[in-house]
Structure formats: C-alpha cells, structure tokens
Amino acid sequence: MGRPVRGAYRGALLATLLLLAGAVQAAQPGRAAIATPHPSATVAGLETLAQGGNAFDAAVAISAALAVAEPYGSGLGGGGFFLLRQAGEKPAYRFLDARERAPLAAHPRLYVRDGKVDPALSLDGPLAAAIPGLPAALADLASRYGRLPLADSLTPAIRLARDGISVDRIYRERASWRLSSMRDDHETARLFLDHKGEVPEEFSLLRQPELANTLERMARYGKAGFYSGPTAEKLVQGVNAAGGIWSLRDLADYKTVERQPIRFPLADGRELIGAPPPSAGGIALAQSLAMLQELPWRKSDRVQRTHYVVEVLRRAYRDRGLLGDPDFVAIPQARLLDAAYLKKLASGIDARRATPSSSLPPSPPLHEGDHTTHFAVIDKDGNAVAATLSINLPFGAAFTVPGTGVLLNDEMDDFAANPEGANAYGLAASQANAVGSGKRPLSSMSPTFIESEQEFTAFGTPGGSRIPSMVLLSVLEYLDGQPVSRWPAVARYHHQYLPDQIEHEPGAFSSSESAELQARGYSLKPLSRNYGNQQVLFWNKAKGSLEAASDPRGLGLSEILEIEKLK
C-alpha cells in the first residue's frame, strides 16, 4: 500500500521502480518498502536502492535528503538513533547511537545566571548546540553496512540542496513558530526566510548552496569532511564568535556508539527490539507492553482500554528519571525490565480508578522538544532500518554557521538545565541527566521493531516525550490485528506521570468517553492540534506480503516496490 505519489515526484519514482525491477533478483521478502515523512526523501531512498544499494545505503540517502527538505526536523547539525536489522537465517540487530554530545567545556551550571536558569541560553543560539552526530552516522552506515560509496548515497541530497526544494505547509507552520528566533540570526534568516524576513510563501523554492558544499566535502572525504578540515574550522569559528563553547577537539573526538538494542520477549513468540539508553523510549515501551500483558486490555471497551494504557504509561514514565547517558551513569536496566517488578507494577493498577501520580514514589520526569523526524526502510533481502532524527525544537537553535549551511541543534535543552531544582519548564531535575562534559542528553526517540517467525514490523515517530506513548498506541493496533493504515492514524492520547493529566488530540475522545474518564479521576487536557508523524512497515513472512504506511497527519510518502509485478 502507499499514498499516491504527487505529480512532482511521479516521473522520478516510476523510473526508479523500473530500474529496480530489472536489477533485483527474487529474494525474501523479494520487495522493498520505504515510509518517510517527505516525498523527496522517499524518492532519494528509491534511487539509492535502484543503484544496487541496500537498506543501510537507502537510510543514508533518506537521512541526508531529510536534512535538506525538513530543516525544521533534522539535519547535519543534529543527531539521531538508527535501529538496524541485518538479514540472515537468524537476523542480527544493531543500534547506532548518533545522539549529540555536550561540548567538553559544558558543566552542570552552564545555563545558570545569578543563581537562576536562563532558559533562552539552552534554546536559541550556539550555546544551546551540542556536537552533531548525524554526519558521523551517515559515514558509519555507509562504511560498516552499506554496499555503495558514501558519495553515491549523498548524491540525491546534494542535488536537492543545489536545485532547491519546494516550501510546503509544514515548513511554513514550523517556521512561523520559530520566526522571532530565526530573525535574530542573520544567516538563518537569509537561508530559511524570505528577503523580508517573513515565512516563505508555499511552493517557493528553498535553495541551500552552502549545505550542498558541505555535503560534497563529506562525499569526498567521509567523516573527516565534516569533523576536521575547513568545515570543522568554520563550525568552531562561527559558533565561538557568536558566544558558543565548541572546540576542534569536540568535533575530532565525536564518535557514534554501537549499543545493544533492548530485546524483550512478548506474547505469542514476538520480540520487541527497541532503543536502549540514552533513549528512554525502549525501556518505557517494554515496560508498558509487559504490564499490559498482565491486564485484559484486548477484551476491554475503549474507555477501559484507555484506562489500562494510561496507568501503564504513568508507571513507565515515572522510571525515566533513573535514566541518562550509559557512558556516564549506571542504568538499572535489568531491574526496570525484571518480570517480577513489572508484574508488581501491573498488580497495583486499580481496574476502575486512576492512580494519582502523587501516590507513587517520585522520580524526575523529562522534557524535550517534539519536532523530530522518522523513517523506515526494508530492502528485498530483509535488511531494515528504523531511524528517528532530531535537532530538537523546530529549526533547532535557529543558528546557522556561516559558510556551512549547517543549522545547529538545541539539544542541550534536553539535559536537566538546573540540577538543584526545576528546569525551565517547571520539571524536577534529574541528576542522571544533568549537563556534563561530553555527555549525551536523554531522549525519548524510539525506533522500534517487533519480530517473530511469522512477522516483522517497524515503528517510530517524532514527538519528544510523547514518542513512547504514540508508538505504544500503534503497536497495540498491530497486536489487535488492525489494518496497517490504522497503525499511524490511530487517535492519540498521552500520560507521562507528571503533570498528572491525559493530553489528547482534538476529537480523540467523545464527550461521553471524556466524562467517564473524568469520573474515574482523570484530568483531561485537550490539545489544539494533532501531533506526531509516524512511519510504519509490516512484512508478513508467512503470506509473503509487504506493507508500509505514512501518518495521514503529515505529507509523508510510503511505497512498496512490487518488483514481481513489474517483471
């Protein structure tokens, strides 16, 4: 399945399918599938597969294309998590941690001025920027797992940056949210706003020649083309001239980290393969699903099911305050995923009444920006990638380093800014996630696989602290046997322990459902807009079928390459 291809991309897509059909031999699953939040990124992935690349090469192409087409959601100035499946009789799973690192000069009181946290310092400008990880991830994916040279996989993104990308409604919406901050930086305003300093008109052309040059240096020199040489020198000079604290050593020392994914057994022979710390998402999902397995959620009406889901989320999110960068703090992962512990948590859920969060032992919650991006791809051999990428808030720190086209992240805001009290959002601080030299901030990004002998699925979405709850709701649709198109479209609600309330999309609950939830002791907070942009894949091994779906809330494009039919 897949959404119709828009006219601007139809020719490129059809040409790619024809090339792929002639180049690929039958294999299991024998087809490829891609789901991304932007049509140009989907086409970049298809083009790379057509050239003989595998899912890992396609992931490089998609990530780089999203860096051009969605500067509000990800980019070379940001980072992300890549969950990998290597095909084989017994699949192997890898997790590539490309989360940004705090500069070596960072310290716990970096954003404290006159005894108080200045929230603007961790949101806007170069002091808010951690050392980017995405460029290293692209180079590592290509060299360790890909079939094609890095230069080949970066070609579509270079072309997009030079020729331009059409401004769409989502770009305009995100730019309007950050307009004031974008205007404050001359380079960001010059590149991403119109000549009057306003949000560009829809369908106007966004060209990024400096970014194209930076990508070309990466294509020629690999990781060194970003983290050393002229690009690195421009980055450090530009950041420090504007008040940042980067050094050439910060860039030279950056490395991705290969970590062991969370692997957690589920019912019916399924296994959850999820994101480990510094992601908080994999543990939260495993905990939530384990608790739900102890509860009759499948047999419940909608209000009762919501009740169970909210209560397991409440308990899972409470434990996030114990998590941080595993290279710096001890993570009690085994205890948090212990079957007896999770059964005890589930047994404490009242089937009819909300559990006040104040009655549970406290643990500090997490704040993070919610405008990331996500994609999923599987190739004909069964290699697969689910990746969630971010620069934190829309357009990151709203600071672009002159001469590079690199829009920097503001991921430093994902640390606990004030270790002695609440952060800028009124949330209690977490010592495990305090600002520290070289640390990676905690994240909720949750690229996720679920696999059994009969099926393979991939899930993921942007959305900050709401990511685990969104993925959980989609996973429940899958476990409930609902059509793949329903998984990313399901109405969303969220609870994260504190604040003690259910946030939900407009229309997620009927008036009678809202009234019944309130009667059970819940406080409901309707949001003014929908959120998230999920991309999913489903490979039914037993039937030999492959499906993909993009969130109807966004502009995403999911496509199945029906190779056998084209032959």
Side-chain angles (χ1 to χ4, degrees), residues 426-452:
L427 299 178
S430 166
Q431 292 294 333
N433 192 41
V435 177
S437 173
K439 284 179 68 175
R440 288 168 156 86
L442 194 61
S443 171
S444 292
M445 294 187 292
S446 306
T448 302
F449 297 151
I450 294 179
E451 184 152 14
S452 67

Side-chain angles (χ1 to χ4, degrees), residues 56 83-94 144-145 258 381-385 449 451:
F56 311 117
L83 184 61
L84 314 178
R85 180 189 193 268
Q86 291 178 286
E89 186 173 339
K90 187 176 182 181
Y93 306 103
R94 305 279 188 263
R144 298 177 192 174
Y145 302 104
E258 285 205 9
D381 298 316
N383 299 302
V385 178
F449 297 151
E451 184 152 14

Side-chain angles (χ1 to χ4, degrees), residues 153-164:
S153 299
L154 292 181
T155 296
I158 294 170
R159 185 173 62 244
L160 287 170
R162 287 215 180 279
D163 295 346

Side-chain angles (χ1 to χ4, degrees), residues 262-282:
I262 298 289
R263 298 188 65 172
F264 192 82
L266 303 175
D268 304 322
R270 295 183 173 97
E271 183 180 32
L272 173 79
I273 301 100
S279 169

